[in-house]
Amino acid sequence: MKASAILASATKAATYNMVLQLAMRVMTFMLNAVVLRYISRDLLGVVNVRLTLLYSTILFLTKEAFDRACLSRAEKRDWRLVTNLMWCTSPLALTWSILLTIVWLYFLETPDPHLIPHYTLGVIMFAVSSCIEVLAEPLFVTGQAFMFIRLKVVILGLSQAIRCFIAVILVLVLPHWGLLGFAMAQLSCSICYAAMYYLYFAHYVTSQVKKDDGDMFPFQAVQDFFPQAVEGKPLIDSDLASLTWSFFKQSFLKQLLTEGERYIMTFLDVLSFADQGVYDVINNLGSMVARFVFLPIEENGYLFFSQMLVRGKLAHEQTEESIVMSSRVLGVLMKIVTLIGCIILVFGYSNAYLALSIYGGENLSSGSGPTLLRWYCLYVLVIAINGTTEGFVFATMSKKDVDRYNKKMLVFSVMFLTMAWYLTKQIGSVGFIIANCLNMMARISHSIWFIQHYFAGSQFSPLSNMWPSIPVIVTMIISLLLTSVSENYCCYTDGYLGKLSHVGLSGVCLLVVAASVFLTEHAMVKLVTDQIFKRKHSKES
């Protein structure tokens, strides 16, 4: 396959994966909105944290290293040996499932059987579902390697939709099943996932043997996807097996850091199941805002800076046109994300109770839910600043700088896990969010230091104007005071009129803040409007 075709396929795959991630988060969002009114917070914590962690850990320990190794580019690869290696994931999945099931049943705190019945059966069913999913691993890798772009998105999207649909039906129709309903939904999801892969490739190999780019497809029959002896060769490619082991060691820490919060909750017993459930929902809500609003800004900013600036060279070594434009764009992007983050913090703080009451009812709006969401609004502001500054840093760092930064990231991550454990033990689930904020602030400090060093030999200082103007700050402070008072007097009553009054006041305050931004942030408004009109003009022409 030509390089241009690979690039185009990879770009399309990345786009589809982003759509898939967005769709899965939306489905989870809708599922939680329905079931929160019919299940307890304890059950939510057991399912969304305890059992989901079991499922994801088994899949990671079984699949991650094999996927990365077998998808690495190699000349004259014998796909029969690749398939043989991929089938090692099935006994590995069974082994990890048995070991981790024992840990989950006998070494972790067991939920109260009166509140959470069928826990043992639920753990077994989640472990079995991961084993079933791994049965499709050789076909999944084949689809990824030969650029079946939409296949993963369609199959994973459909299987997750089936899981959500079955879970909602069982919760509504058979609420007394409790945990068993979610376990059956997960098991159905995995069965559908594996079945769809086998049905697709059974149809594909019987209908055609060539892909559109002319490359020979190495599987000519369904039985070719299963292990087979190759004359004159060992059953498994030793180099590929060694590469798999290397990837496993490399990615083990990544999994620990990615799921660090859940591991701390599960193994260190710092939160009750109810608090775990509420935290998981708040975390999903907040991360959706970050993905919808800030991720596109971060990715487009990274793309712009990587195209405009030469990596590894400081500002005074760049061309004048590129550094002038890059400095201006960085300053405006920082202003935009800071403004959006401050607006989310101001209005999220004073509408946290109402938002959770509408979304999840009494389960979320009572207890620690509103406090968690208010702190998460601060975390969103920190995420916004960190994403944009790191986007510029990663686009301009030299390879040596990147290697040094990876070591610093390891230190930041260890510090985060330590702070998360300590703070959560001291102050509850809010400790996780505060630890995340401190971790992000440390990374922001590093990025600010890098950017200041980067522009030190030039006349530019793009971070000097990142904060909102004085009039905007004043209107935000007044809005925060007014809406906070309004929330205390209007939202904690049963009447709809009080809640509508609070929403109306919040809307008016938001309009005032927007007007102050438009009237005082001239440079930002001009750049944004210029880009909008330029894009509109290019479409018309």
Side-chain angles (χ1 to χ4, degrees), residues 300-320:
N300 289 326
Y302 172 82
L303 179 62
F304 173 81
F305 296 129
S306 62
Q307 295 296 314
M308 289 292 294
L309 301 171
V310 179
R311 182 180 293 277
K313 290 187 176 182
L314 298 177
H316 66 273
E317 300 173 301
Q318 307 282 349
T319 63
E320 183 178 355

Side-chain angles (χ1 to χ4, degrees), residues 366-380:
S366 62
S368 62
T371 302
L372 276 174
L373 186 55
R374 290 181 182 116
W375 275 100
Y376 209 99
C377 290
L378 173 63
Y379 181 48
V380 167

